[in-house]
Amino acid sequence: MFGDLLALPEGGLPKFIWLSAAFSVFNTVQCMVQPLGMTRRIYSQQPQQVTPLTSHLFAAWTALSAILRYKCAFNMGDALLYDITFWSYVIAGAHFMSEVLVFRTILSQMFGIKVDNPGREDTVTLAVCGGIFGITAVMLVYAWCNYNYQPIRAKNLLWTTLIYLSTVLWFVGNIVANGHVHIVGAWANCKLWIIWFRVLFCFVFASMTIVRFYALDRVFNQKKPFTTRSSLIAAAIVVVLNVAYCLVNQLLGKSLEIDYLASVEACNATQTFRNAALIFQWVLWAGCGVLIFRLRNIQSSFNEFRESILIFVVIVALLIESTVINVHFRRFPLQKARRIEKTVMDVVASTLVVWLFIGYPVLMSIFKRRSYELQWLERLAMDGPTNSYNLTPNRKSKQSYAKMEDSANGADSADHEYIADSTHLSAHKPFDNYHPLNIESVLNSNALNESSLPPVLRNKVHVHEPIMYSPSLFSPRYIEPPSPDGRRVI
């Protein structure tokens, strides 16, 4: 098994699946050799339910999972094997989630947590919220599996996934901070749950959403690139600012402290702390509102103004609800209806933001995959530089929309800059007399050649006739690398 490690396909997913197969082998062995050892520690809330028979059955399941995952790791191109392996993870995850949230057999004294929910309603609340996160996770996994689908690829999937992860960790903090479980022992550190989970990741969620809107503003309004470097800098700023805020609250005196109510085994924050957090949240989302207003005039397929308005409305409603709860119901973690309302509102609003970002193209890829992609590409073609942006050469302008380096004829290394100029209407519209969906027939009829390209692109490209009925001509995999003379090949 370990000798084949170097033969794994490229990428992180095959290695992850292989590693999980190795852990499954270990779990199989320990369940057979010590059936009442580690298994009872895992299900320590109700250890009497763990018997040698159940442990042996668990060993059989993990052995089957190990074989399935091992085979899948080396055969990632087998769709049937991949789907079966994927659903094995879903089943295992559903099992452990149900044991934590519904049957309450996992995570007790081993971690210092007494998982006795105050009532059945809290259990149902946690189960429903877990289901909402699970459905959203499946949607994101589907999006990653279809990353080459153009409308999905344009949605900054990595940043959206990070926003989703921040909502999950925010929810983890809410489970404790909102009083859905009693916290005892070492985990009665209320500052950990309220400051470093609930508050931190609530702020991270807001900050990362703002950065996502800022990326659109930077590219389409400021005409500046938002590169990987820019993304990393933005992420670092988000982390530093939010960690600094939480660190200050961690070190401040009792006037801003989180207090622990030993009589009811629950956490509660002082009103000063709540007011400071609410003010910070309102400031963050006010800045987000300014960015959304700036995005209203983006005339392209990347316009998310309607989605942005819906997101802003959802978040403002959540902020109003949070303000009312924290100001007028200061002990809401001790009131069942209030704490359930707060947790459900947080989960629904945060996951709805993720769905508004990426949900529509995902649903279209399932139900109207080809027609929606063609429609999206049609809008993209009509929004192109020769139509919406009217690019014209301008060496002296400080604004740059795109840069091309002239290396074909041995010219100097200075970049040619092209900016949007509303005074120069595009005279080059090679597809004006053709419907965009018939672009392949246009290309095959020799309607597009070097003379039909904009002057700034001539001598920079070779035009090759595409194969009839080929997939999307705009897909990156159909763009060949530069030829030896430096000219691009389309």
Side-chain angles (χ1 to χ4, degrees):
M1 182 176 182
F2 290 93
D4 297 335
L5 183 59
L6 297 178
L8 283 171
E10 293 183 359
L13 184 58
K15 296 178 177 61
F16 168 79
I17 295 176
W18 181 92
L19 187 62
S20 67
F23 280 116
S24 296
V25 170
F26 167 77
N27 196 27
T28 300
V29 173
Q30 72 87 17
C31 284
M32 296 298 294
V33 175
Q34 290 185 324
L36 301 181
M38 187 176 294
T39 306
R40 276 195 170 176
R41 293 184 60 190
I42 294 175
Y43 299 92
S44 55
Q45 183 68 12
Q46 299 180 20
Q48 71 280 2
Q49 294 187 13
V50 178
T51 65
L53 176 60
T54 57
S55 187
H56 294 159
L57 289 172
F58 202 77
W61 159 257
T62 51
L64 178 61
S65 299
I67 295 171
L68 190 63
R69 294 165 185 174
Y70 178 79
K71 290 295 184 182
C72 180
F74 291 94
N75 298 276
M76 297 295 293
D78 190 324
L80 179 61
L81 184 59
Y82 182 89
D83 288 342
I84 295 174
T85 305
F86 171 77
W87 283 107
S88 74
Y89 283 108
V90 173
I91 293 171
H95 162 71
F96 286 109
M97 186 67 70
S98 66
E99 294 298 327
V100 172
L101 299 178
V102 180
F103 304 111
R104 293 174 288 172
T105 58
I106 297 179
L107 299 178
S108 63
Q109 284 78 10
M110 182 172 66
F111 297 107
I113 299 178
K114 180 183 177 184
V115 190
D116 282 330
N117 293 342
R120 185 173 297 275
E121 293 84 356
D122 295 275
T123 302
V124 173
T125 300
L126 297 181
V128 170
C129 293
I132 293 173
F133 280 117
I135 293 171
T136 307
V138 171
M139 182 266 292
L140 286 172
V141 170
Y142 176 87
W144 277 108
C145 293
N146 292 268
Y147 184 67
N148 287 329
Y149 186 65
Q150 299 295 335
I152 291 178
R153 193 184 186 108
K155 288 294 185 177
N156 201 337
L157 190 54
L158 176 59
W159 207 255
T160 305
T161 303
L162 293 176
I163 291 174
Y164 167 76
L165 293 177
S166 68
T167 68
V168 174
L169 294 173
W170 174 11
F171 171 67
V172 171
N174 273 348
I175 292 176
V176 177
N178 289 353
H180 294 293
V181 293
H182 298 303
I183 305 301
V184 296
W187 286 77
N189 185 349
C190 293
K191 282 189 174 183
L192 172 68
W193 295 109
I194 294 182
I195 295 179
W196 296 104
F197 276 85
R198 183 185 189 177
V199 172
L200 174 61
F201 289 104
C202 180
F203 289 173
V204 167
F205 166 79
S207 302
M208 295 181 76
T209 305
I210 292 171
V211 170
R212 194 181 185 282
F213 288 137
Y214 172 73
L216 289 173
D217 178 73
R218 181 178 175 87
V219 171
F220 291 100
N221 288 334
Q222 302 180 35
K223 303 296 186 293
K224 297 178 181 178
F226 190 74
T227 61
T228 302
R229 181 171 176 268
S230 303
S231 181
L232 291 175
I233 292 174
I237 292 174
V238 166
V239 171
V240 170
L241 289 179
N242 288 287
V243 168
Y245 176 89
C246 292
L247 190 60
V248 168
N249 282 279
Q250 177 76 27
L251 300 176
L252 283 177
K254 292 185 178 181
S255 62
L256 289 176
E257 267 193 357
I258 314 298
D259 59 328
Y260 174 66
L261 306 178
S263 59
V264 291
E265 296 177 355
C267 297
N268 193 49
T270 61
Q271 193 58 39
T272 306
F273 174 85
R274 297 186 192 192
N275 292 339
L278 286 171
I279 291 172
F280 192 52
Q281 279 280 73
W282 278 104
V283 169
L284 283 175
W285 287 105
C288 184
V290 173
L291 286 174
I292 291 173
F293 181 76
R294 286 175 56 84
L295 299 180
R296 71 193 185 282
N297 292 324
I298 294 178
Q299 301 297 325
S300 79
S301 300
F302 295 90
N303 191 334
E304 296 183 353
F305 184 63
R306 287 179 296 181
E307 295 92 331
S308 304
I309 288 294
L310 289 174
I311 289 171
F312 190 69
V313 169
V314 168
I315 293 301
V316 168
L318 180 63
L319 283 174
I320 293 173
E321 184 266 349
S322 297
T323 303
V324 172
I325 285 286
N326 282 281
V327 173
H328 295 286
F329 302 96
R330 300 183 181 183
R331 299 291 184 181
F332 74 89
L334 306 181
Q335 299 173 281
K336 184 179 296 184
R338 299 300 177 191
R339 67 171 176 256
I340 290 176
E341 172 196 336
K342 186 72 189 78
T343 300
V344 171
M345 284 287 292
D346 287 349
V347 171
V348 170
S350 59
T351 53
L352 185 58
V353 168
V354 178
W355 277 92
L356 287 172
F357 276 139
I358 195 69
Y360 186 73
V362 167
L363 292 175
M364 289 298 101
S365 73
I366 296 173
F367 298 108
K368 297 181 179 179
R369 185 178 186 88
R370 183 58 178 163
S371 62
Y372 177 72
E373 184 177 32
L374 290 174
Q375 179 185 4
W376 188 87
L377 290 172
E378 177 183 351
R379 293 201 314 269
L380 186 64
M382 297 177 68
D383 293 335
T386 61
N387 192 344
S388 297
Y389 298 113
N390 304 315
L391 299 185
T392 60
N394 191 333
R395 281 179 173 270
K396 298 181 180 180
S397 173
K398 295 182 180 180
Q399 283 184 298
S400 65
Y401 176 76
K403 291 184 178 181
M404 287 183 171
E405 183 174 321
D406 189 356
S407 59
N409 300 315
D412 57 32
S413 60
D415 291 340
H416 297 282
E417 298 183 352
Y418 306 95
I419 68 167
D421 188 349
S422 60
T423 62
H424 293 77
L425 296 177
S426 174
H428 173 73
K429 297 181 179 180
F431 302 122
D432 272 2
N433 298 323
Y434 301 92
H435 192 279
L437 297 184
N438 295 328
I439 188 171
E440 291 186 4
S441 62
V442 176
L443 291 170
N444 282 328
S445 65
N446 296 322
L448 178 65
N449 49 50
E450 286 197 8
S451 62
S452 66
L453 291 171
V456 295
L457 294 180
R458 294 174 191 173
N459 300 323
K460 303 295 285 186
V461 299
H462 295 296
V463 179
H464 287 188
E465 290 187 4
I467 301 173
M468 196 66 169
Y469 304 114
S470 63
S472 168
L473 300 174
F474 299 95
S475 175
R477 60 181 179 273
Y478 290 96
I479 306 285
E480 298 181 18
S483 60
D485 62 358
R487 304 172 79 190
R488 301 293 298 178
V489 179
I490 300 179

